Amino acid sequence: MDQTDRPDSQDLIPEDKPASQSGRRTFLQRSSAGLAAALATGAAGTAWAAGPPAAAANSVKLPLIADPRTEQKEETPDANLPPDDRIGYAIVGLGHLALDQILPALSNCKYSRVAALVSGDRNKALKIAHQYGVREADIYDYQSFERLADNSRVQVVYIVLPNGMHKEFTLRAAKIGKHVLCEKPMATSVADCQAMIDACSKNNRKLMVAYRSQYEPMDRMIAKMAKENKLGPLREFIAGNSQNQSGPSQWRLNKALAGGGALPDIGLYALNAARFFSGEEPYEVSASLTQPAADPRFKEVEESVHFIMRFPSGFTATCMASYGCHESRFFRLQGTDGWAEMDPAFGYNGLRMRYGMLVDGKSANTEITIDPNNQFAREIDHMSLCVINDKIPHTPGEEGLQDQRIMEAIYESARTARVVKISKPQASTRGPDPEEETF
Ligand code: NAD
């Protein structure tokens, strides 16, 4: 299990609950020691113009977090499609992620529904089908996958299998005319990523990689702050993603099925976040790996990876991922005029975001929580809207391919103990911003 998203790290912020139950988005701001000091000196006075007086004693509204589009949407009634008009998904692989996150998230979707299940375990599939109202006729196994071609209730195949199986099922899905939503990492080699892109393109099918953090509101807020230069020119990104990976029978410790160890599974979150926040592509990387010979878990894959990516503007990302530490997930993005951080970062929920900058010449910082309102549902609905409106997904195959190119450069750098250059992708790796249509 990718414990980046382990449930026991959730719900650290009780204020999330009422907001998420009401299905509305809320902004919760909190004080911090630095902020209290700024307030005591009256430093944040002008920032208060838009803030609620009742909160004045212990919080401040820093002047950039209000997102008019988001707030306006709060007043807009939900545009839910009736169930029969929603885009139907076949969920391929009924493991932890599918059962604990994706299937429950589909119940929160506005444009998407579960229409079929593909599993090697029919009894399990029958149980799940019963739970989610999937007809027995809509259960398939891996061998009978091609029969989905005749199922008009299914438009998208969501691949939730071990990484080394993503390519095979993407190619099979494209061939039978289904769009593909594929879990991260996209595949286990650049060649496989390219083959997936080519197959979907040849069959005129959409391909999206499930980079859920790019659909998560706090991550999106930070990307927006960076894009609007609220932090000043970006200089540094520091991130860590660790967990103590369970025993050697896990497919995640098998090179053929996983493609690598901590890097593709959890280091990828930091790698992708640095690219997403900066909007830049790294031109070189240096890296090292740890693979302790005495630990039977790491016979085939690395325990940990450290890598530094350098970007053309001078921005640098320093990242670490480990399968050998207690769980810990965080990042801090630093610009010349401010910083933003999440700790915990990268998880399903319980995320916390803080940011700091100068207010009236004094340093102030604050904490903000935006109800995530299920990032998986946002991600899946984005794919559905791309199918409905015939648009390129925000995180298409090209985004997964670029991460895979960088991961291969990271492995090469670690192997050769050299800095490795990375050529620029030929075109933008991202489709249009999802905010206008999904949120
Ligand atoms: P899992 O081990 O819990 O489930 C894998 C599923 O694949 C199981 O149903 C298993 O039976 C099936 N399977 C079929 N053939 C198999 C084989 N040869 N070996 C092993 N399993 C086989 O894994 P998971 O945690 O659900 O991860 C599935 C995918 O989702 C991976 O690509 C992973 O990287 C990704 N993932 C993404 C997130 C996220 O937050 N986006 C989180 C966790 C996992």
Side-chain angles (χ1 to χ4, degrees):
M1 174 178 184
D2 180 346
Q3 296 172 7
T4 287
D5 310 300
R6 205 154 74 180
D8 59 11
S9 67
Q10 298 172 1
D11 296 332
L12 295 176
I13 304 172
E15 291 90 331
D16 273 346
K17 285 184 180 152
S20 99
Q21 278 156 12
S22 72
R24 288 165 63 92
R25 219 174 274 194
T26 26
F27 299 94
L28 303 171
Q29 292 186 301
R30 297 179 189 178
S31 66
S32 69
L35 183 55
L39 275 169
T41 62
T46 51
W48 262 112
N58 63 0
S59 71
V60 65
K61 188 157 182 159
L62 288 177
L64 59 84
I65 215 72
D67 179 348
R69 281 175 299 181
T70 310
E71 291 180 346
Q72 192 186 339
K73 282 280 159 75
E74 275 204 82
E75 310 304 325
T76 312
D78 281 353
N80 285 11
L81 283 178
D84 286 347
D85 295 344
R86 295 183 189 197
I87 299 297
Y89 284 73
I91 309 300
V92 188
L94 298 180
H96 288 96
L97 185 72
L99 298 189
D100 298 346
Q101 302 300 328
I102 293 169
L103 284 161
L106 276 155
S107 318
N108 287 324
C109 284
K110 297 177 184 173
Y111 309 105
S112 322
R113 67 181 169 133
V114 53
L117 303 174
V118 181
S119 169
D121 181 340
R122 185 157 178 88
N123 285 336
K124 177 161 70 168
L126 277 168
K127 237 161 93 182
I128 306 300
H130 184 64
Q131 190 180 344
Y132 286 96
V134 174
R135 303 178 317 178
E136 205 175 319
D138 293 324
I139 298 176
Y140 302 80
D141 59 25
Y142 300 119
Q143 288 71 35
S144 63
F145 177 86
E146 274 69 20
R147 285 204 296 108
L148 276 168
D150 303 324
N151 190 334
S152 60
R153 295 158 59 83
V154 173
Q155 285 84 47
V156 181
V157 162
Y158 192 162
I159 300 170
V160 203
L161 292 165
N163 313 338
M165 301 172 77
H166 292 180
K167 174 195 162 192
E168 176 192 336
F169 280 85
T170 298
L171 267 52
R172 289 171 72 179
K175 200 164 172 194
I176 58 167
K178 304 298 177 185
H179 302 289
V180 175
L181 176 53
C182 178
E183 260 311 324
K184 52 56 58 181
M186 180 173 173
T188 54
S189 72
V190 165
D192 283 3
C193 292
Q194 192 60 57
M196 293 160 75
I197 292 170
D198 293 345
C200 290
S201 159
K202 183 172 147 210
N203 291 284
N204 197 20
R205 297 297 85 188
K206 299 196 183 299
L207 170 58
M208 171 170 151
V209 183
Y211 283 109
R212 65 180 163 73
S213 293
Q214 291 201 35
Y215 302 88
E216 190 284 313
M218 280 178 265
D219 286 87
R220 294 189 58 72
M221 180 70 75
I222 292 172
K224 185 164 179 275
M225 288 164 81
K227 195 171 174 183
E228 293 176 354
N229 206 29
K230 305 289 189 193
L231 306 176
L234 297 181
R235 307 304 303 157
E236 302 289 341
F237 178 74
I238 299 157
N241 194 350
S242 307
Q243 63 195 36
N244 221 330
Q245 191 60 37
S246 56
S249 61
Q250 258 274 6
W251 65 259
R252 281 182 167 82
L253 303 171
N254 172 311
K255 181 90 193 281
L257 283 172
L263 176 60
D265 193 24
I266 53 177
L268 181 60
Y269 288 86
L271 191 169
N272 190 260
R275 293 180 51 242
F276 177 48
F277 295 147
S278 66
E280 285 194 87
E281 296 300 342
Y283 66 88
E284 70 176 31
V285 68
S286 49
S288 64
L289 303 179
T290 310
Q291 191 165 347
D295 191 328
R297 292 178 296 174
F298 305 114
K299 283 201 178 341
E300 298 190 19
V301 300
E302 75 279 3
E303 176 191 280
S304 63
V305 58
H306 299 78
F307 57 99
I308 299 176
M309 296 187 288
R310 296 193 187 280
F311 296 76
S313 68
F315 174 62
T316 302
T318 306
C319 307
M320 181 279 289
S322 174
Y323 268 170
C325 297
H326 184 67
E327 63 183 44
S328 164
R329 302 160 196 129
F330 62 90
F331 67 74
R332 185 179 270 228
L333 179 67
Q334 303 188 145
T336 55
D337 303 337
W339 53 263
E341 70 174 18
M342 289 180 69
D343 186 355
F346 310 131
Y348 298 149
N349 49 37
L351 303 175
R352 298 178 76 174
M353 168 184 166
R354 291 170 69 239
Y355 67 99
M357 61 188 55
L358 289 179
V359 177
D360 290 349
K362 300 233 161 96
S363 230
N365 60 67
T366 194
E367 178 169 337
I368 179 166
T369 303
I370 308 173
D371 171 17
N373 203 5
N374 202 316
Q375 51 188 295
F376 283 99
R378 288 170 187 275
E379 167 197 282
I380 298 167
D381 269 347
H382 174 69
M383 177 65 178
S384 297
L385 283 167
C386 288
V387 171
I388 292 167
N389 299 324
D390 192 17
K391 289 202 171 153
I392 299 170
H394 173 61
T395 50
E398 285 77 3
E399 177 77 344
L401 168 66
Q402 175 63 359
D403 278 347
Q404 185 64 38
R405 292 176 73 228
I406 298 167
M407 288 195 288
E408 290 190 5
I410 288 171
Y411 282 128
E412 187 187 335
S413 171
R415 194 178 60 249
T416 58
R418 292 223 158 114
V419 173
V420 172
K421 299 281 177 203
I422 305 165
S423 60
K424 246 181 109 170
Q426 283 163 354
S428 165
T429 65
R430 257 165 242 133
D433 195 314
E435 198 147 21
E436 295 149 30
E437 53 193 22
T438 313
F439 301 109

